[in-house]
Amino acid sequence: MAIAPDPDRAPDPKTLRALAHPLRWKLIDLLGSETTATATRCAEVLGESEASCSYHLRILAKYGYITRAANPESREKPWQLTRPDQNLFPADPDAGTALAAEAAVEVFLDHEIAKLKSRLRRKSLEPPQWQQATRLQGISTWLTADELRQVSDQLDEITSRYLDRLSDPGRRPPGCREVRLFTATTVAPPTAPAPPAAPAQPAAPARPAAPAP
């Protein structure tokens, strides 16, 4: 599952509000991981009731995030993602759409942070090669808007390089495991300039020492 701005798929407020629920992000994650899953399977993996999973799956389907997968052999038809990436950033949003996007992004970030913490807590249980391959880092620096866009584009290119393996298991090499590549580039809000330093006061002239009596 990826988050990608797409001006050709500008979401509306109702579509965005469908993602402002933590269980729906878990369902999207699970469908991305397993390709297809029934409400029964979702309940089993996520520890939720089947009725709750079924309800939220239908909401995701109503707004186009998932669809029924063709499986004539199954009595309970499984679900699948409509596409592997979700767009939470509408182009030129009005006030209502902007608020809906903010709500969806906040729930998405809460979901991501919870998953990140969970995986880092069990990092020491992983084999050494997986421990060494895992990274957590952050950096602050100074960039122009063009430079920040270049960095964002480069990160997008890297994280998209293996995206086809999500939907096509045949492209997965032996020994691979599901991993999460999460990136974010943000700009700090402007701050008020520091007040100018007060001019230094000239030192008072030294008084001559009094003559000894």
Side-chain angles (χ1 to χ4, degrees):
M1 183 265 294
I3 303 299
D6 185 349
D8 295 329
R9 294 189 300 123
D12 59 66
K14 289 184 178 180
T15 303
L16 286 168
R17 279 195 287 269
L19 293 180
H21 192 287
L23 179 53
R24 293 172 196 167
W25 282 110
K26 292 180 181 180
L27 292 167
I28 288 174
D29 258 2
L30 181 58
L31 292 177
S33 176
E34 299 199 353
T35 307
T36 66
T38 62
T40 302
R41 173 61 177 168
C42 291
E44 175 187 336
V45 174
L46 301 179
E48 301 283 343
S49 71
E50 185 174 343
S52 178
C53 288
S54 180
Y55 169 78
H56 289 289
L57 286 166
R58 290 196 303 271
I59 295 295
L60 290 171
K62 177 180 178 180
Y63 291 100
Y65 293 106
I66 66 174
T67 186
R68 290 288 190 182
N71 188 352
E73 299 178 0
S74 174
R75 292 182 59 187
E76 184 186 1
K77 286 187 168 54
W79 296 94
Q80 65 184 10
L81 294 178
T82 304
R83 54 185 300 146
D85 60 324
Q86 312 301 335
N87 180 21
L88 303 184
F89 304 98
D92 302 321
D94 56 27
T97 309
L99 289 174
E102 289 174 10
V105 168
E106 286 185 7
V107 176
F108 164 71
L109 288 176
D110 289 343
H111 170 69
E112 283 291 329
I113 295 301
K115 182 166 54 178
L116 177 63
K117 288 180 178 180
S118 175
R119 293 186 179 185
L120 288 176
R121 279 195 294 267
R122 67 175 312 281
K123 179 181 176 182
S124 61
L125 304 177
E126 293 291 348
Q129 67 270 27
W130 288 100
Q131 292 187 41
Q132 295 162 10
T134 302
R135 296 284 189 277
L136 178 64
Q137 61 185 14
I139 182 173
S140 293
T141 187
W142 294 80
L143 301 175
T144 65
D146 285 342
E147 289 171 333
L148 179 59
R149 179 180 290 276
Q150 290 174 18
V151 171
S152 299
D153 289 344
Q154 290 168 6
L155 292 172
D156 286 346
E157 191 279 326
I158 293 171
T159 54
S160 300
R161 197 174 295 167
Y162 307 103
L163 191 58
D164 57 351
R165 297 180 182 181
L166 186 63
S167 57
D168 186 356
R171 293 182 175 271
R172 302 172 189 173
C176 72
R177 292 173 56 183
E178 180 185 346
V179 301
R180 181 64 175 161
L181 306 176
F182 176 73
T183 67
T185 54
T186 60
V187 59
T191 56
Q201 298 295 324
R207 294 184 178 181

